[in-house]
Amino acid sequence: MVQPDEERPAFLRKDGHVAIITMNRPHAMNAVNAAMSIALQEAVDEFLADPELRVGILTGAGKAFCAGADLKEVAAKRSLIGPDQRERGFGGIMKQLLDKPLIAAVNGYALGGGTEFVLACDLAVMSDAATLGLPEVRHGIIAAGGGLLRMSRRVPLAIALEAVMTGAPIAPEEALRWGLVNRVVPADQVLDTAIELAGKIARNAPLAVQASKRVLYQAAAMSDWEAESWKLSDDAAKAIMRTADAKEGPRSFAEKRKPKWEGR
C-alpha cells in the first residue's frame, strides 16, 4: 500500500513539468537517516525516469531544509544510507551528476549535509532567515559528503578555506554575494520563487538544457583554449542538432508560435 505523503521520509509531487521533491522528517529538522536517504533516491529516480518532468526542486518540510546527518543514528552506529547507495551517496545525488536540472529551495536551516545537498544542486533559492555552513571541523570530522569537493568550485578558494576551516555559519547575504545561491527571498516566497525559476528552465528544449548543463560541468576543469574542451562542446552540439527539438526550435520561431518540445 502506498504511504500518504505525510508519512514518507521523502516524496515527490508534480507541478506541470516540475518535480518538487520534499525531505519529510520535520520532527528531526529533516536530518538524514537511511530511510530518508532511500526514499529521497526513489523520488529522484522517479523524477529522472519521467519524460514529462524537466526540472526538479529539492526542499524540506517544516521550518528546516536539512540539518545534515541524523546524529542519533551516528551515535547508534547505524548507517545513514541504504545498503545499495554507496556509489551514489546519501539521497542518491551526492556522487551522481543528474542529467536534469535540480534547484535547492532552501526554506530554513541547512548546515553540514544540508549545505552539501545545496552544493549538489545546480541552482539555489534561499530564505532570508536560513543559514548555510559546513561546521564539521567543530565536531572533529570533515565535510565528506561532497562539501570539500564542491565548495571551492562555487566560491573563491580563500572563502572556501575560511568556510570549511572555521566551520562558521554562512548568512544569506554572504551566500548570495559569493554565488552559493541564486536568489535570497522572504521565507514564505522560497518555494514559489524556485518554481518560477524552474518554469523558466522548463520552457526550454529539455535535451538542449541537459546537454548545456553537462558541458558546463565537464568543461569547468578545462581551459577554453584546449582542443579537448572544444571537442566536448562540438560533440554535444552535433548530438543536439540531430534531435527533433533542434528542428522544432527554428521552425516554431519562423512560424511565430510557441515551440512544442518532444524531448527527443
Side-chain angles (χ1 to χ4, degrees):
M1 185 174 71
V2 176
Q3 292 176 292
D5 287 347
E6 61 269 18
E7 295 180 11
R8 299 179 184 178
F11 61 88
L12 178 150
R13 70 177 176 88
K14 301 177 183 180
D15 185 342
H17 292 299
V18 177
I20 300 172
I21 300 170
T22 303
M23 295 178 280
N24 191 36
R25 299 186 71 219
H27 61 283
M29 298 184 72
N30 300 318
V32 180
N33 65 1
M36 191 178 96
S37 183
I38 293 168
L40 183 54
Q41 180 170 316
E42 290 172 349
V44 168
D45 286 346
E46 180 182 351
F47 160 54
L48 296 176
D50 190 333
E52 291 300 309
L53 294 175
R54 299 175 182 174
V55 185
I57 293 173
L58 178 64
T59 194
K63 296 181 179 180
F65 176 73
C66 174
D70 188 328
L71 297 182
K72 292 181 180 179
E73 296 293 293
V74 174
K77 298 183 179 180
R78 288 191 287 264
S79 176
L80 299 177
I81 61 174
D84 301 321
Q85 290 190 298
R86 193 162 301 279
E87 291 185 0
R88 290 178 61 174
F90 60 82
I93 68 171
M94 291 303 185
K95 297 182 179 180
Q96 176 178 335
L97 177 62
L98 307 184
D99 288 336
K100 298 178 181 181
L102 187 62
I103 301 170
V106 189
N107 54 299
Y109 186 89
L111 296 184
T115 288
E116 289 178 320
F117 272 132
V118 176
L119 292 170
C121 293
D122 305 301
L123 307 175
V125 175
M126 184 177 180
S127 162
D128 60 5
T131 303
L132 300 180
L134 297 172
E136 283 83 353
V137 292
R138 296 184 175 189
H139 306 291
I141 57 177
I142 65 172
L148 297 182
L149 299 177
R150 295 188 171 106
M151 182 62 84
S152 65
R153 297 178 184 175
R154 294 293 184 94
V155 303
L157 181 59
I159 301 301
L161 286 166
E162 181 177 348
V164 303
M165 292 194 299
T166 66
I170 302 171
E173 58 272 17
E174 291 180 276
L176 184 63
R177 181 166 67 247
W178 293 115
L180 278 173
V181 300
N182 300 80
R183 311 274 193 280
V184 171
V185 299
D188 61 355
Q189 297 176 24
V190 170
L191 187 56
D192 287 344
T193 303
I195 291 172
E196 180 183 7
L197 182 56
K200 291 179 179 179
I201 298 171
R203 285 195 289 271
N204 298 320
L207 295 183
V209 168
Q210 292 169 32
S212 297
K213 169 182 169 174
R214 188 166 57 249
V215 170
L216 278 172
Y217 276 112
Q218 292 174 346
M222 303 177 184
S223 165
D224 56 1
W225 298 108
E226 293 178 14
E228 187 178 356
S229 300
W230 282 101
K231 184 178 186 303
L232 178 67
S233 179
D234 291 345
D235 288 351
K238 289 175 184 176
I240 286 298
M241 291 306 294
R242 291 193 290 267
T243 66
D245 283 351
K247 297 177 177 63
E248 168 65 4
R251 185 185 301 122
S252 63
F253 177 82
E255 295 174 0
K256 298 181 179 180
R257 59 175 174 80
K258 290 184 178 181
K260 299 176 181 178
W261 306 124
E262 299 179 35
R264 64 181 184 87

